[in-house]
Amino acid sequence: MRYTKWGGKGHWRFPAEALGNDEFGWWYGSRAGTPLRRGLEEPVIVWHDFVVLVPVAGRWIASWNAPENTEVEVYIDVTDRPVRTSERVEAVDLDLDVVRMRDGSVRLLDEDEFEEHQVLYGYPAEEIAQALVTADELMAMVAERREPFDHVGDVWLAAFTAAR
């Protein structure tokens, strides 16, 4: 999985194994101990299993976290349209993130970073508008627990963690 920032600047990357697909998209899994690397920084080790959904349609990528060591149940990056190949998934991270915490609360994160990067990276007006629409749609879907943000992700995560 490779994320860049607008203009090609390296962002997060991490290994993930293909798990399969369903009506919502393509699922990938990463085990506890997976190194996440941002740019040239030292890796951050994730100490819980997680699964990632690359949607059939949409401009986002979502992750479901196993409960160990994290308060965040679902984390969704607003992106451009993800591109899948046999080797990797790539997307441009557009800063805005939608999260559902374990207590059920839903939050929109990094609005300040999104504002700042519009100027710094020169986001086109249509990308700004689309990112805002996507974030609004995701906030509603996650809050209302519309699939794939109700049980589907939990089922994929449970199957992945059970297959250790």
Side-chain angles (χ1 to χ4, degrees):
M1 307 293 286
R2 292 185 184 214
Y3 295 84
T4 60
K5 286 295 186 180
W6 194 262
K9 179 182 180 218
H11 195 44
W12 290 105
R13 64 187 186 279
F14 58 91
E17 64 180 276
L19 302 178
N21 63 293
D22 62 14
E23 66 189 278
F24 301 106
W26 294 268
W27 293 85
Y28 299 84
S30 291
R31 297 275 176 216
T34 295
L36 277 66
R37 185 178 292 271
R38 182 168 53 187
L40 299 174
E41 296 175 11
E42 287 297 313
V44 174
I45 305 300
V46 177
W47 296 112
H48 58 273
D49 291 348
F50 62 99
V51 295
V52 176
L53 172 60
V54 177
V56 170
R59 296 167 62 97
W60 50 270
I61 296 177
S63 301
W64 282 255
N65 296 308
E68 306 90 318
N69 302 321
T70 181
E71 295 178 22
V72 178
E73 181 182 3
V74 179
Y75 193 103
I76 310 163
D77 290 289
V78 175
T79 67
D80 69 346
R81 188 168 308 283
V83 175
R84 288 179 47 257
T85 68
S86 61
E87 309 264 323
R88 68 178 53 106
V89 173
E90 295 180 333
V92 176
D93 182 299
L94 295 172
D95 311 310
L96 297 173
D97 304 302
V98 175
V99 298
R100 182 170 62 220
M101 307 304 286
R102 296 238 175 253
D103 67 7
S105 63
V106 179
R107 301 176 188 166
L108 179 62
L109 305 179
D110 298 331
E111 291 173 281
D112 56 338
E113 187 178 318
F114 180 64
E115 293 282 329
E116 184 181 306
H117 288 174
Q118 289 175 41
V119 175
L120 182 64
Y121 296 128
Y123 293 172
E126 60 274 6
E127 288 295 332
I128 295 167
Q130 183 61 58
L132 291 169
V133 167
T134 297
D136 286 346
E137 289 172 352
L138 289 168
M139 289 288 292
M141 288 178 70
V142 173
E144 295 164 13
R145 298 186 83 84
R146 283 187 269 146
E147 295 294 11
F149 303 111
D150 191 13
H151 300 295
V152 171
D154 295 331
V155 170
W156 280 94
L157 180 60
F160 180 63
T161 58
R164 286 186 218 201

